[in-house]
Amino acid sequence: MPPRSPYDNLVHPRTVKKPVPQVEAEKDLVVEDPSSGFVGAVVRCEKDVVHLEDRFGKVRGYPLGPGFWVDGRPVVLVRPKHAVASAPTRSASGSTYVANARARVAREGRIYVEGKHDAELVEKVWGHDLRIEGVVVEPLHGVDDLPAIVRDFRPASGRRLGVLVDHLVKGSKESRIADQITGEHALVVGHPFIDIWQAVKPSVVGIKAWPTVPKGEDWKTGVCKRLGWEDDTGYVWAQRILARVRTWTDLEPTLIGRVEELIDFVTTD
């Protein structure tokens, strides 16, 4: 082989990819989210979330990290170094955090969600709100059990029942059951996702999109197979998905709206 040239490892400076600079999310810093076009000034920065306010007074929360522009250039937003650790002002759901508050005695009203994973996700994001309001969330092990649960529960004024159902689309079995049950003191709402996993934004778990799994194949198993994840769906949920969820901004708006609707419903006396 010919001798290696001393110039082989030289790279022209213009071909070297420069790292994206880190910028501290200081108050009043003007930031743009290019994916949505939202431009706003930093009004506060929490542990993992920065809140931006546009010129119309609208405030949005975003996870700190890459994906922002400042002065027309891409940057990575980081928490200001001088920020002093203090009690949170906002809960994971974006509501006002009530420090040192004791959980309210549980209401008679209940919220049922379809499965253990659904219950764990609701608890992680809305747990503070639920304790303040005294709302208990229980897992529903299959929508077919819902009519019997409603009959036993006997919804009434001051004893409202809210239910969150997976894959609630028009014409489905789930939608027909929901229509039978929903009334003055019982409300069934749902999201369009096949499974609650899909309600977590793909970017949060480090993927571009949730893969398509053919009908008839177990969806969770199919997702793990196509992404090269472990075949233990319980482990995948706990370590790869739920562990990465920090606040409501990590979830799809469709789910956020439905959960907030149920909390409002069961807490209305």
Side-chain angles (χ1 to χ4, degrees):
M1 294 181 64
R4 187 175 177 82
S5 169
Y7 300 102
D8 285 350
N9 292 327
L10 294 182
V11 179
H12 194 283
R14 285 182 296 181
T15 67
V16 177
K17 188 175 181 180
K18 297 181 179 180
V20 178
Q22 292 188 347
V23 175
E24 295 183 18
E26 298 278 5
K27 187 176 174 62
D28 296 328
L29 176 71
V30 177
V31 178
E32 178 180 355
D33 170 33
S35 63
S36 64
F38 187 85
V39 178
V42 175
V43 290
R44 65 179 179 276
C45 184
E46 298 167 359
K47 181 178 179 181
D48 300 305
V49 180
V50 61
H51 296 266
L52 309 178
E53 182 177 5
D54 68 8
R55 61 193 180 93
F56 302 108
K58 186 174 183 179
V59 178
R60 290 187 182 179
Y62 294 93
L64 285 169
F68 298 98
W69 283 2
V70 172
D71 295 331
R73 296 178 180 276
V75 301
V76 177
L77 278 187
V78 297
R79 191 181 182 197
K81 294 178 181 177
H82 63 74
V84 178
S86 60
T89 59
R90 294 286 173 177
S91 70
S93 70
S95 65
T96 301
Y97 185 86
V98 183
N100 303 318
R102 296 180 63 183
R104 174 174 172 167
V105 175
R107 297 172 182 265
E108 290 190 66
R110 291 288 187 274
I111 291 178
Y112 277 83
V113 296
E114 196 175 357
K116 178 184 176 184
H117 292 180
D118 303 57
E120 291 173 338
L121 183 62
V122 170
E123 163 59 28
K124 185 161 189 180
V125 177
W126 286 274
H128 178 74
D129 307 58
L130 295 168
R131 284 184 283 279
I132 293 296
E133 295 292 347
V135 178
V136 175
V137 174
E138 298 188 24
L140 172 69
H141 303 292
V143 71
D144 291 331
D145 298 335
L146 192 52
I149 289 175
V150 174
R151 284 195 301 271
D152 293 340
F153 188 83
R154 299 190 301 277
S157 178
R159 183 183 171 80
R160 290 187 161 199
L161 178 66
V163 184
L164 179 69
V165 178
D166 294 343
H167 202 224
L168 187 62
V169 294
K170 188 175 181 180
S172 65
K173 174 187 70 175
E174 290 81 1
S175 67
R176 290 192 293 272
I177 293 176
D179 291 341
Q180 297 170 13
I181 292 169
T182 296
E184 183 180 1
H185 304 301
L187 175 66
V188 180
V189 300
H191 54 75
F193 309 116
I194 296 174
D195 190 272
I196 198 67
W197 289 18
Q198 283 185 305
V200 178
K201 292 179 179 178
S203 59
V204 173
V205 297
I207 59 176
K208 292 184 177 180
W210 290 103
T212 300
V213 177
K215 189 175 181 180
E217 181 180 351
D218 180 74
W219 189 83
K220 291 177 182 176
T221 302
V223 165
C224 294
K225 179 180 178 181
R226 286 161 178 79
L227 294 177
W229 287 351
E230 296 82 357
D231 57 7
D232 183 343
T233 57
Y235 173 87
V236 168
W237 165 251
Q239 300 300 322
R240 288 189 175 272
I241 305 174
L242 185 63
R244 300 189 181 185
V245 173
R246 294 289 181 267
T247 71
W248 58 277
T249 58
D250 295 331
L251 307 179
E252 297 290 355
T254 308
L255 176 70
I256 296 169
R258 300 293 74 75
V259 175
E260 297 283 356
E261 183 179 358
L262 289 177
I263 294 175
D264 289 343
F265 179 79
V266 299
T267 55
T268 300
D269 296 324

